[in-house]
Amino acid sequence: MRRGLFITFEGSEGCGKSTQVARLAARLRGSGQEVLLTREPGGTPIGEKIRDLLQFDPVGAAMHPETELLLFEASRSQLVREVIQPALERGMLVISDRFYDSTTVYQGVARRLDPHTVQQLNAFAVGDCRPDLTFLLDVDVATARARMLRRVRPVNSTPDRMEQEPVEFYERVCAAYRQLAEREPERVHCLDGSGSADEIEERIWQLIQSAISNQKSAI
Ligand code: TMP
């Protein structure tokens, strides 16, 4: 039986989500909450190998969009069964840096694969393990790209395969995320990612506190 709370973070590259994921996890742990932090693609030994193939391995340059979709789903199905579901069953609070909304947006809209197929594959990969709460950090494409280019990278490394997509790809990503938040306002909270990191952290903290107290009163 599932008892924990499952929280996901979404947004375009450069939206500031990884900063907020780290801040939230540290704050929750500081308040005595048991937290499991994970990410997609990745989060398991199998998933991290798939992440490398998807992002950095030069053989990935020949990858077809359909193959890309299935690799994201393969990483996810492993992560759900090996890590997320068992942690939720133990009553932990699970935070994932990206989850199936990324596939809906990147493969289903930006890559223009059939959205219905993407939805079916998402459902197959996760079963009934769906996020309770999702934070979308919304930034305009120009801000996101400027932040992405300023990222500190290992010496001689290049942007990953997805980061090399043209600006039109990222315009579709940002628009699709906003539509998702409009379609599912109860779950997906859209926050202005151009605000200060402290302000965003505070807003997320308020929303988490009310989700935790709603969960307690439902038990
Ligand atoms: P990041 O999480 O470090 O930003 O990198 C993950 C990259 O993979 C990012 O470009 C978004 C992309 N992605 C997809 O295209 N589909 C997915 O389902 C997931 C989880 C990520």
Side-chain angles (χ1 to χ4, degrees):
M1 215 226 3
R2 173 170 166 174
R3 292 176 293 128
L5 196 66
F6 183 20
I7 295 160
T8 60
F9 278 75
E10 295 283 350
S12 169
E13 285 78 352
C15 69
K17 104 190 127 43
S18 302
T19 304
Q20 292 301 331
V21 164
R23 285 183 176 217
L24 177 62
R27 202 160 166 179
L28 284 163
R29 284 177 180 142
S31 72
Q33 175 79 46
E34 260 202 292
V35 177
L36 185 132
L37 192 55
T38 191
R39 68 171 179 179
E40 279 207 348
T44 64
I46 290 174
E48 291 297 324
K49 282 195 184 276
I50 296 175
R51 182 182 181 95
D52 186 54
L53 186 54
L54 279 162
Q55 291 190 302
F56 300 108
D57 193 318
V59 302
M63 195 178 300
H64 290 277
E66 291 79 0
T67 312
E68 179 184 282
L69 167 63
L70 292 168
L71 286 173
F72 279 117
E73 299 294 3
S75 170
R76 176 165 308 130
S77 64
Q78 187 68 25
L79 180 67
V80 163
R81 287 156 187 83
E82 185 176 326
V83 175
I84 299 179
Q85 196 69 49
L88 291 172
E89 281 164 14
R90 287 200 303 276
M92 292 180 84
L93 192 150
V94 176
I95 304 174
S96 184
D97 187 338
R98 297 194 182 279
F99 197 59
Y100 62 13
D101 295 319
S102 287
T103 317
T104 302
V105 164
Y106 282 80
Q107 280 65 51
V109 180
R111 282 269 189 258
R112 303 190 198 281
L113 290 172
D114 173 39
H116 182 62
T117 305
V118 169
Q119 211 186 343
Q120 284 180 320
L121 289 171
N122 275 345
F124 179 70
V126 305
D128 62 3
C129 184
R130 291 171 181 268
D132 298 298
L133 197 60
T134 297
F135 296 112
L136 165 61
L137 298 189
D138 180 41
V139 281
D140 62 69
V141 178
T143 309
R145 286 186 78 84
R147 286 184 186 168
M148 202 163 86
L149 295 173
R150 280 203 307 269
R151 261 185 200 167
V152 180
R153 296 175 195 281
V155 183
N156 294 335
S157 76
T158 51
D160 70 42
R161 199 174 56 86
M162 306 297 283
E163 288 171 347
Q164 293 174 29
E165 290 296 331
V167 69
E168 297 74 34
F169 182 89
Y170 284 99
E171 277 162 1
R172 292 199 292 279
V173 165
C174 291
Y177 268 130
R178 285 178 199 137
Q179 282 170 8
L180 181 80
E182 280 167 22
R183 275 202 310 275
E184 290 192 59
E186 293 286 304
R187 173 178 70 90
V188 183
H189 294 270
C190 183
L191 306 172
D192 180 1
S194 63
S196 83
D198 289 346
E199 279 165 15
I200 300 170
E201 179 188 330
E202 222 32 61
R203 181 72 190 121
I204 290 173
W205 188 247
Q206 287 163 6
L207 290 162
I208 291 280
Q209 293 309 306
S210 82
I212 291 175
S213 65
N214 286 348
Q215 196 195 33
K216 281 187 183 144
S217 55
I219 293 172

